[in-house]
Amino acid sequence: MRGKRLKTLDRLKFYKQEVSLLDERIKALESAEVFITSHYKTGGSGGFAGDGKNISVKLMDLRTKLSLSRIEYEEMLQKAEKLILELEPDEARVVFMRYRDGMSWSKIIRKMAYSESSVFRIHSNALENLIKLGME
């Protein structure tokens, strides 16, 4: 079972990073919307005169799409984490450290304060249990 991989676990760290990245992009778009809207309304010299409203609408559409993508990634992350939390505590801890936090095996072994074989056994049991719980 040591060589077995679950697609969801391989993507766990990616989901977490993608949610953070989308949060940053959404905040940047919100700032851009405020700037463009204020310049459009005040007639500021930003070169937005005729296009300000169109640009603002496009930014709002993009922010909506990013928000929907963020929701999808957050739901996938929560679904995976919910299954992992159904594991025994040591199993969940190993899975989170390895797949969500991206820790090396040597670091996990040090943090767990178990032998290498014990950590690999816990990991193997965790994978078997996640498959039983329906994780792909």
Side-chain angles (χ1 to χ4, degrees):
M1 193 69 181
R2 189 170 171 184
K4 177 72 174 159
R5 298 192 66 92
L6 295 171
K7 288 187 294 186
T8 302
L9 290 181
D10 288 338
R11 295 180 185 148
L12 195 61
K13 187 175 180 182
F14 169 77
Y15 295 156
K16 183 180 172 186
Q17 291 171 336
E18 198 63 21
V19 167
S20 294
L21 182 63
L22 287 167
D23 282 341
E24 290 173 20
R25 289 179 177 169
I26 290 167
K27 286 178 186 173
L29 281 172
E30 288 170 348
S31 296
E33 283 180 73
V34 169
F35 176 78
I36 290 171
T37 302
S38 67
H39 273 62
Y40 176 70
K41 287 181 181 176
T42 61
S45 60
F48 301 123
D51 295 334
K53 194 169 191 174
N54 289 336
I55 293 170
S56 185
V57 168
K58 288 179 182 179
L59 287 174
M60 285 175 39
D61 288 345
L62 183 55
R63 183 170 45 93
T64 299
K65 288 176 185 176
L66 288 176
S67 295
L68 291 173
S69 292
R70 188 209 177 279
I71 289 168
E72 288 177 27
Y73 281 112
E74 183 69 32
E75 286 173 353
M76 289 185 280
L77 181 62
Q78 288 175 357
K79 183 179 175 184
E81 288 179 343
K82 183 179 177 188
L83 284 177
I84 294 166
L85 289 172
E86 292 184 36
L87 299 172
E88 294 295 322
D90 279 346
E91 293 174 353
R93 191 169 169 214
V94 167
V95 168
F96 279 131
M97 285 190 285
R98 180 69 179 166
Y99 297 99
R100 185 190 62 196
D101 304 334
M103 280 188 198
S104 67
W105 285 115
S106 59
K107 192 168 185 178
I108 294 169
I109 291 163
R110 279 194 309 273
K111 280 193 165 272
M112 296 286 294
Y114 292 154
S115 69
E116 179 179 309
S117 62
S118 293
V119 170
F120 286 137
R121 181 185 43 77
I122 292 167
H123 177 257
S124 181
N125 290 342
L127 294 182
E128 289 176 12
N129 290 330
L130 286 170
I131 289 169
K132 288 177 187 174
L133 290 169
M135 185 177 278
E136 298 177 351

